[in-house]
Structure formats: structure tokens, C-alpha cells
């Protein structure tokens, strides 16, 4: 009686084939537009975050495949730079300036107030999902600090009161609750 041998045929899954079409397209376009640059991974990650708002971990295999890098290498760069978000941001992203000129005119107090009002630390998102708080080191608005940027709008001479008005006008506000 002959013995049948089982042969396992490995199934090759194309990196990125499991991604939503829109995300796959964003990655491929970012790669195509930046591949020729020296150190192309950084501009590619910037382009992806500009379009999607963060770098979802599910994109890493496709990015790595396209650049002929390991997934660990891409992950290493994403996690090294705080600028790259590994979690989906809130509806509005607030960049608070922590550089010297702003610190000299009240940025420290503003930072403490913003963290308390939103219930988050830097890189966190308020419990209602509306606000993500990020540090930034100079927004080029030093003469009229403390400065912050929200949804790409620059605001100077920011005070805790003006901060509350700003976020109150977008919905939410003090006590928005803690988030990761
Ligand atoms: S130091 Fe804050 S905008 Fe330049």
C-alpha cells in the first residue's frame, strides 16, 4: 500500500493586499513620489501622515516591501520620531509651542492648562476623541507667543482663557476627559 505524502504549498500573500484600496493607494503614491530621494523613508512617512493623519501599523509591511527594507526597520523609524503618530489622532490636532521664546511669555502655564483642560499628556487624545495634543518646537511666531496651531491655523498671544474659547468654539472643552 502506497503512502501518500502531504505536500504543503506555501501561499504567498502580497504585502498590502489586505489593505483598503484608499490606504494602499496613499502608500504607493507616497513611495512613487519620493522613492528617488535620498533617505526616502522619512518623506514617504510624512506624505502618508499628511494624507491619513497617522501611520497605521497595518501599512508597515507594504512600505517595507516597496523600499526593500524589513518591517522592523520601518517600525524603528516610525517609533523613533514622536512626530509620527502610531494611533489615530483626534478630530482636531493642537500643536503647542514649547520653545524658548514662547516659554518666556507663558507657554509653561499654557501647557499645564491645556493638559488639564483636555485631560491628556502630550501625544494623547481627549476622551471624547476631539483633541490630540502635540508639542512643537517653534512655529515661527515667536514675537507673539505663546503660540499654538490647531487644524493648521496659527494662534499667538495664547492665554488659558483664549485656549478655552478656542476649543469651546470647536466643541468640547475643559473636562473633555483622559485618553491614550
Ligand atoms: S518659540 Fe514659539 S513660535 Fe517660536
Amino acid at each position: 500500500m502506497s503512502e501518500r505524502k502531504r505536500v504543503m504549498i506555501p501561499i504567498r500573500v502580497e504585502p498590502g493586499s489586505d489593505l483598503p484600496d484608499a490606504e494602499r493607494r496613499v502608500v504607493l503614491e507616497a513611495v512613487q513620489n519620493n522613492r528617488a530621494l535620498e533617505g526616502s523613508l522619512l518623506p514617504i512617512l510624512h506624505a502618508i501622515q499628511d494624507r491619513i493623519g497617522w501611520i497605521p501599523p497595518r501599512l508597515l509591511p507594504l512600505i517595507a516591501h516597496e523600499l526593500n527594507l524589513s518591517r522592523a526597520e520601518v517600525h524603528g523609524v516610525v517609533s523613533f520620531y514622536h512626530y509620527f503618530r502610531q494611533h489615530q489622532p483626534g478630530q482636531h490636532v493642537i500643536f503647542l509651542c514649547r520653545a524658548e521664546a514662547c516659554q518666556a511669555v507663558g507657554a509653561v502655564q499654557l501647557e499645564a492648562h491645556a493638559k488639564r483642560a483636555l485631560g491628556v499628556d502630550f501625544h494623547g487624545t481627549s476622551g471624547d476623541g476631539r483633541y490630540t495634543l502635540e508639542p512643537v518646537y517653534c512655529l515661527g511666531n515667536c514675537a507673539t507667543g505663546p503660540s499654538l496651531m490647531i487644524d493648521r491655523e496659527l494662534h499667538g498671544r495664547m492665554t488659558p482663557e483664549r485656549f478655552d474659547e478656542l476649543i469651546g468654539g470647536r466643541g468640547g472643552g475643559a473636562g473633555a476627559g483622559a485618553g491614550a
Side-chain angles (χ1 to χ4, degrees):
M1 198 162 122
S2 68
E3 204 178 286
R4 278 194 187 164
K5 273 193 179 172
R6 271 195 173 172
V7 180
M8 302 292 281
I9 301 171
I11 299 172
R12 184 169 154 66
V13 179
E14 276 299 311
S17 58
D18 55 338
L19 293 176
D21 278 352
E23 287 187 358
R24 195 164 186 279
R25 220 172 16 249
V26 166
V27 172
L28 295 178
E29 282 174 15
V31 170
Q32 194 183 347
N33 294 339
N34 296 285
R35 191 198 292 275
L37 300 176
E38 199 176 324
S40 59
L41 178 56
L42 283 176
I44 287 169
L45 293 174
H46 277 282
I48 293 170
Q49 183 157 298
D50 283 350
R51 295 273 301 275
I52 300 180
W54 62 304
I55 311 286
R58 59 183 174 269
L59 304 187
L60 301 196
L62 179 57
I63 299 169
H65 173 74
E66 289 296 317
L67 296 181
N68 209 15
L69 297 170
S70 71
R71 189 183 164 163
E73 285 171 300
V74 178
H75 175 74
V77 172
V78 173
S79 52
F80 180 79
Y81 294 99
H82 278 308
Y83 179 79
F84 296 125
R85 288 189 208 101
Q86 298 181 69
H87 301 283
Q88 188 157 17
Q91 209 176 328
H92 309 284
V93 179
I94 302 169
F95 288 95
L96 209 60
C97 180
R98 301 190 78 198
E100 215 173 298
C102 282
Q103 294 231 332
V105 290
V108 176
Q109 295 84 337
L110 179 64
E111 175 184 325
H113 177 80
K115 287 178 176 175
R116 210 170 32 245
L118 300 177
V120 298
D121 205 340
F122 279 131
H123 312 298
T125 297
S126 58
D128 61 5
R130 285 183 181 274
Y131 298 98
T132 296
L133 188 64
E134 299 283 4
V136 69
Y137 294 87
C138 196
L139 287 161
N141 193 46
C142 320
T144 56
S147 303
L148 67 74
M149 186 176 271
I150 180 167
D151 301 335
R152 298 177 189 259
E153 275 172 24
L154 183 61
H155 296 266
R157 301 197 202 287
M158 190 52 56
T159 60
E161 295 71 31
R162 287 196 59 215
F163 181 87
D164 289 346
E165 283 168 21
L166 198 62
I167 63 169
R170 285 172 162 80

